[in-house]
Amino acid sequence: MERLSGNMDHFSFHRQPIPNEKEEGESQIEIIEVKEIEYRALQTYLSSRKILPKTARKLCKEIHYLIGGRTYFGIGLQNRSGGWELRNSYWKGSTSPKDVSLIKNDSKNLAITEGMFDMLTLLELRPELLKTHELLVLNTTAFVKRMITEIGEYENVELFLDRDKTGLGMTELLLEKCPYSRDMSSLYGSFKDINEWKVKSAKDEVRQRIQDVSLS
């Protein structure tokens, strides 16, 4: 209980039992607390992904949940159907219902990423997007096809999808079906995704690439 209350700053995720395959089914996850991100271990995890807590708090919450009678905690992003995407250092999962996460502000501009950490990375690099763009986190590329009609309603769509086979395929599909889409993945070049690029690249290189893309 001391560890879960946040009173032990040295607490490590290593001390948490890791859900096994039987326990990690979506229907078995019970959310027991939703709060602002405060726990030191979660802030350390964010730091390892090169995300500031103040950036994560713009979209995410600290989630405490039960799986198989055991208590866990992680970073949570809520989807538009009320489910949660959950992440910590050693596990990722989601609750039902599974859906996209869409942050709306009545803008005709849209920025799209596959996962929550890609979007948080984008906000680290371009914090103004919260005012200038609506933000779409797919949570799984399986939702791309059913989102085409909605995506097509925007006047400007920026695609920050993964540069693996699946991500490139989805980018190609959206470029074909949504004429106002632009592939922005050249920003992170040979890396799999934008978060991996930010984690592994020097700060000066990241700053220069952002400037180059903004001018192009």
Side-chain angles (χ1 to χ4, degrees):
M1 290 302 294
E2 285 182 319
R3 292 169 183 162
L4 290 175
S5 70
N7 294 327
M8 298 178 66
D9 289 342
H10 64 278
F11 175 77
S12 165
F13 282 113
H14 288 287
R15 296 174 181 267
Q16 291 193 99
I18 301 173
N20 59 40
E21 293 182 0
K22 183 177 180 180
E23 291 175 338
E24 65 183 11
E26 293 178 358
S27 62
Q28 296 178 315
I29 301 175
E30 179 185 352
I31 304 296
I32 57 176
E33 186 176 11
V34 177
K35 58 189 294 186
E36 293 299 321
I37 299 171
E38 299 174 349
Y39 206 58
R40 181 69 61 86
L42 292 178
Q43 295 189 45
T44 299
Y45 172 49
L46 289 169
S47 179
S48 74
R49 305 291 296 266
K50 294 293 188 288
I51 304 296
L52 293 174
K54 68 177 183 179
T55 300
R57 291 185 187 113
K58 294 175 182 178
L59 299 184
C60 300
K61 298 292 185 181
E62 176 178 319
I63 308 297
H64 294 249
Y65 53 98
L66 288 172
I67 303 179
R70 297 176 179 177
T71 303
Y72 304 90
F73 57 88
I75 304 294
L77 174 68
Q78 193 168 35
N79 66 45
R80 65 179 180 179
S81 295
W84 290 91
E85 294 295 316
L86 302 170
R87 303 288 185 272
N88 63 39
S89 292
Y90 293 97
W91 184 76
K92 67 178 182 178
S94 59
T95 68
S96 296
K98 185 86 170 178
D99 202 348
V100 301
S101 298
L102 182 60
I103 296 86
K104 299 179 70 66
N105 62 6
D106 296 321
S107 173
K108 291 298 184 180
N109 303 313
L110 180 69
I112 305 177
T113 66
E114 289 190 30
M116 74 166 78
F117 275 95
D118 296 324
M119 186 60 76
L120 292 176
T121 302
L122 193 55
L123 291 180
E124 285 281 352
L125 301 172
R126 296 173 58 187
E128 75 280 359
L129 288 181
L130 274 172
K131 296 181 179 179
T132 62
H133 290 61
E134 296 195 345
L135 309 177
L136 174 61
V137 182
L138 294 168
N139 294 322
T140 171
T141 54
F143 290 146
V144 169
K145 292 182 179 180
R146 79 180 197 185
M147 290 298 297
I148 286 176
T149 300
E150 289 184 59
I151 294 171
E153 295 174 354
Y154 290 87
E155 296 177 358
N156 172 50
V157 179
E158 298 182 22
L159 308 174
F160 297 88
L161 304 183
D162 290 2
R163 291 185 61 85
D164 57 12
K165 182 177 180 181
T166 300
L168 291 171
M170 293 300 99
T171 296
E172 184 177 347
L173 176 65
L174 289 173
L175 291 173
E176 176 187 349
K177 299 293 184 180
C178 304
Y180 299 112
S181 297
R182 291 189 296 157
D183 179 12
M184 308 296 288
S185 67
S186 61
L187 173 66
Y188 33 101
S190 61
F191 292 91
K192 177 180 179 291
D193 58 48
I194 193 171
N195 182 250
E196 181 181 274
W197 167 63
K198 189 173 188 295
V199 168
K200 295 182 178 179
S201 300
K203 185 180 296 185
D204 289 342
E205 177 187 343
V206 170
R207 185 183 298 113
Q208 184 61 51
R209 288 296 295 276
I210 286 293
Q211 183 178 3
D212 292 344
V213 170
S214 298
L215 293 173
S216 62

